[in-house]
Amino acid sequence: MPDLNGMLLFAAVVRAEGFSQAARETGLPKSTISRKIAQLEQQLGVRLLQRNTRSISLTQVGALFYQHCDSICNEVEAAKATIENTHNDVSGSLRIAIPVSFSQELIANLCSGFMRLYPGVELDVQFTDADVGLVGEGYDIAIKYGPLQPSDLVARLLFERQPILVAGPGYLKSKGTPATPRDLARHDGILLGTSRSAPIWPLGKGSRKTMASFRRRTRVNSAIMVKQLALDDFGIAMLSHSVCKNELASGALVPLLQEWPIEPFKVYGVYSSRRQLATNISVFLDFFTKRFNSQESLQSLMM
């Protein structure tokens, strides 16, 4: 029988995207975690992770094995939640609005995990880029990108992502590499946004911040499609580093204008102050923050 602690540590490494971060999160020495996973691989007779000096990635069998380890982690969390919520059962309905640009596969996995942990909660998840009314349209939570407009709603920061400008080597070979933000005006851009989004990227920070315009080649509301179009050499794109880090590492995408670092974009969970912080809202936002990072890590690490 595989070592349970080794399986939990393996899941922790995948979620943290590396041994160093897993060591910080678990409080265990990096050497201990590495040794435990090596012992687990030896016990199973397979390699779960491909390691090099800069990163790790899941092997095909490692990705499959992680799904089971992730389920075990969910069961452990469920056991803890059972005790913690003995006197405060989490139940009721939750209607949630999520932007279309979020990976629907990732959100589906996240919601499955949440429903396993909290079987008393009924989820109603709607993917929409409309500015939904939480009270008038009956939504309990809206997941939104910042910056947010002032309102009487309560906004909880869920996570941040670091944007970066990227392009394929083929595009740069044919169109040249921009040296300054002004050069982008002569370049094709792949815009991640809605029909109201203008072809403008905010580059730099603080007093060095500038709004750079570009020629819009196409506009879509899917980060995965934006990345694919950039890989196919249709233009320059702004993506979060986590979405394209494997392509950057392999050279399939090239980072641009790195001397103009971009402000991180922020994702919030917004709910009505009238609801205060209902238990089912609180546990969903807690779960979303933790598990979104975990599921995103799995997608980015799969080979």
Side-chain angles (χ1 to χ4, degrees):
M1 178 178 177
D3 177 58
L4 179 58
N5 286 330
M7 295 172 70
L8 295 177
L9 287 176
F10 168 66
V13 170
V14 175
R15 292 176 180 177
E17 304 181 37
F19 288 90
S20 297
Q21 183 61 29
R24 286 189 286 269
E25 292 179 1
T26 62
L28 295 173
K30 179 180 175 181
S31 58
T32 299
I33 298 175
S34 180
R35 186 177 67 254
K36 281 285 189 181
I37 292 179
Q39 290 172 350
L40 180 64
E41 289 178 321
Q42 184 177 16
Q43 186 180 23
L44 295 171
V46 296
R47 182 173 291 278
L48 302 173
L49 295 170
Q50 297 287 4
R51 306 164 175 83
N52 59 42
T53 56
R54 297 177 57 188
S55 64
I56 63 168
S57 61
L58 282 165
T59 64
Q60 185 175 10
V61 69
L64 294 173
F65 187 66
Y66 172 76
Q67 298 284 4
H68 296 284
C69 294
D70 187 51
S71 297
I72 291 173
C73 290
N74 284 338
E75 291 301 323
V76 171
E77 291 176 7
K80 290 170 59 180
T82 299
I83 301 300
E84 293 169 357
N85 296 309
T86 299
H87 302 294
N88 189 19
D89 291 335
V90 181
S91 61
S93 62
L94 271 181
R95 191 167 195 234
I96 305 161
I98 298 178
V100 175
S101 56
F102 273 68
S103 165
Q104 295 187 17
E105 179 183 5
L106 188 152
I107 295 297
N109 290 334
L110 183 147
C111 289
S112 293
F114 182 82
M115 288 188 292
R116 282 195 295 268
L117 275 176
Y118 302 102
V121 178
E122 176 191 337
L123 288 184
D124 178 356
V125 179
Q126 301 296 317
F127 288 91
T128 176
D129 286 325
D131 188 14
V132 299
L134 290 179
V135 178
E137 298 181 51
Y139 284 97
D140 300 295
I141 303 171
I143 306 300
K144 294 189 175 186
Y145 294 105
L148 302 177
Q149 297 297 320
S151 72
D152 60 353
L153 300 174
V154 180
R156 171 177 164 180
L157 178 64
L158 301 179
F159 55 82
E160 298 182 3
R161 289 293 180 268
Q162 180 60 54
I164 185 172
L165 287 182
V166 299
Y171 173 84
L172 297 176
K173 183 177 180 180
S174 64
K175 298 294 180 69
T177 301
T180 70
R182 286 187 177 182
D183 292 344
L184 293 174
R186 302 191 298 272
H187 280 271
D188 296 330
I190 305 164
L191 181 60
L192 174 63
T194 67
S195 59
R196 293 176 292 178
S197 300
I200 296 174
W201 286 320
L203 304 184
K205 295 182 179 180
S207 61
R208 204 162 177 251
K209 190 170 185 177
T210 183
M211 306 302 285
S213 60
F214 56 92
R215 295 194 305 247
R216 188 179 70 208
R217 181 71 172 84
T218 186
R219 176 178 54 205
V220 297
N221 60 4
S222 163
I224 299 301
M225 185 171 175
V226 169
K227 181 173 73 171
Q228 187 58 54
L229 291 172
L231 288 168
D232 291 341
D233 297 321
F234 283 106
I236 297 172
M238 179 182 286
L239 290 167
S240 71
H241 187 273
S242 61
V243 166
C244 58
K245 63 182 180 181
N246 287 348
E247 290 77 12
L248 291 170
S250 68
L253 289 175
V254 178
L256 303 173
L257 299 174
Q258 291 183 281
E259 64 275 21
W260 289 83
I262 307 167
E263 294 278 0
F265 68 80
K266 300 180 179 181
V267 175
Y268 295 88
V270 179
Y271 58 93
S272 172
S273 58
R274 298 181 190 180
R275 291 288 310 271
Q276 297 181 359
L277 188 56
T279 302
N280 54 3
I281 292 178
S282 176
V283 296
F284 182 83
L285 294 179
D286 288 342
F287 187 88
F288 189 97
T289 302
K290 179 178 180 181
R291 302 301 288 162
F292 184 87
N293 290 324
S294 169
Q295 294 290 342
E296 186 180 65
S297 297
L298 175 61
Q299 284 195 343
S300 65
L301 284 170
M302 280 188 178
M303 297 186 68

